[in-house]
Amino acid sequence: LSLWVSICFLSESISSIRSWISLFPDSIFFNSNSFLAILILPFKSTKIAFLPVDNGNMTFIKLNDVNETTILYDMYIREKATDPNDKTYDVLQYLKDNLKTDSKGRHFVDVFILSHHDDDHIRGFENYFYAGDIKDIPDNTDKIYIKEIWGSSRFFKRASTYNKLEDGALAFNTEMKRRYELHKKHKKIQEEGNRIIILGESEDDKTDHVEDIVYEIGESIHMLNNRNLSSKIDINILGP
């Protein structure tokens, strides 16, 4: 099943579809932007929400494992969505209503995955998500913190005329680099809140000595936030 759907999504006709869902007995498979192919099995009692963000993407998943692992795939949190006088759906409030909190009442997501750096896939990161060492997070913060963050190796690229980045993408890249340097320095998987996964090798040698946090195109991922969830989810890397 995983092999079939991975090959299916390599076709250009399918890759143009923003989100595609196919139901199989007790399972669900979907793809977004031909970046990742995600198979969830079994589907029963797992929550998947494709949030209404116009042409952007924001997908929330809560697995049915014992920890109820949460995954946020891209985000597009526009300022007007948090305005009580605006009719735009409040996706930030949806997140806070469905995310778990820690012992101090702070919201967190287990895994955040960014498909690419366009603004309609990362907008709001700089305003609504905590960036920095987990040891320094304020007790009373209203920002959401991320236990493990995933992104392509393109985060190494600086903003330029040919690589324009909005505020959300810049903040995301800064946080990826911070976590990357932390892992590189200590040479081990970091504590929750400082963890990072890099999707695809870098064009230079930056990923050569951190192989334990790098997945290559074509690989399958079953480890989420350093826990093996192979009985719940199978994520195949299709690009970039």
Side-chain angles (χ1 to χ4, degrees):
L1 179 62
S2 295
L3 177 61
W4 176 81
V5 292
S6 295
I7 292 174
C8 175
F9 274 89
L10 291 178
S11 67
E12 288 298 321
S13 59
I14 298 297
S15 65
S16 64
I17 301 176
R18 174 182 166 272
S19 296
W20 181 86
I21 305 174
S22 179
L23 292 175
F24 301 91
D26 300 319
S27 68
I28 185 169
F29 169 83
F30 70 91
N31 162 280
S32 178
N33 303 302
S34 291
F35 178 60
L36 296 178
I38 302 177
L39 175 66
I40 298 173
L41 179 70
F43 175 59
K44 186 178 181 181
S45 74
T46 289
K47 174 181 287 188
I48 301 179
F50 296 91
L51 298 176
V53 289
D54 295 335
N55 290 328
N57 179 56
M58 189 169 180
T59 304
F60 176 76
I61 304 169
K62 181 181 284 186
L63 298 178
N64 65 351
D65 61 303
V66 65
N67 294 299
E68 294 188 318
T69 298
T70 53
I71 305 166
L72 181 61
Y73 187 16
D74 290 342
M75 70 177 72
Y76 189 33
I77 308 175
R78 295 160 289 182
E79 291 75 10
K80 64 180 181 180
T82 61
D83 182 351
N85 298 316
D86 193 284
K87 294 182 179 180
T88 302
Y89 186 78
D90 191 344
V91 293
L92 180 63
Q93 190 59 53
Y94 175 89
L95 282 183
K96 291 188 173 182
D97 289 344
N98 287 276
L99 288 173
K100 297 174 291 183
T101 58
D102 62 16
S103 60
K104 296 182 179 179
R106 300 172 299 196
H107 291 92
F108 66 87
V109 61
D110 290 296
V111 176
F112 171 66
I113 306 172
L114 178 65
S115 63
H116 61 288
H117 289 78
D118 285 0
D119 192 47
D120 56 359
H121 290 256
I122 190 57
R123 187 166 180 173
F125 182 90
E126 75 281 16
N127 293 323
Y128 306 114
F129 286 76
Y130 174 76
D133 197 305
I134 192 63
K135 299 183 182 68
D136 301 326
I137 186 172
D139 290 346
N140 61 345
T141 185
D142 61 352
K143 291 189 174 184
I144 300 167
Y145 69 91
I146 301 167
K147 291 189 173 183
E148 184 173 81
I149 192 167
W150 296 21
S152 81
S153 57
R154 292 177 179 174
F155 77 88
F156 289 115
K157 292 185 176 181
R158 295 179 180 272
S160 66
T161 303
Y162 304 102
N163 185 37
K164 294 182 178 181
L165 300 174
E166 302 294 338
D167 290 344
L170 288 170
F172 174 85
N173 283 1
T174 298
E175 179 63 6
M176 285 285 286
K177 290 171 185 174
R178 184 194 70 81
R179 295 188 184 207
Y180 163 78
E181 292 294 344
L182 195 63
H183 183 91
K184 184 179 177 182
K185 176 181 178 181
H186 296 285
K187 296 180 174 62
K188 64 178 182 179
I189 301 297
Q190 296 300 297
E191 63 183 319
E192 294 180 325
N194 285 328
R195 290 175 181 164
I196 178 176
I197 293 296
I198 301 173
L199 305 174
E201 296 179 333
S202 63
E203 295 176 352
D204 46 32
D205 61 351
K206 288 186 174 65
T207 56
D208 287 358
H209 304 292
V210 291
E211 291 87 353
D212 54 336
I213 58 169
V214 177
Y215 287 91
E216 298 181 25
I217 295 172
E219 283 195 84
S220 294
I221 305 176
H222 308 108
M223 298 289 292
L224 281 78
N225 193 25
N226 207 36
R227 293 195 297 268
N228 191 329
L229 295 175
S230 58
S231 64
K232 303 295 181 181
I233 191 168
D234 180 26
I235 300 177
N236 290 275
I237 307 174
L238 304 182

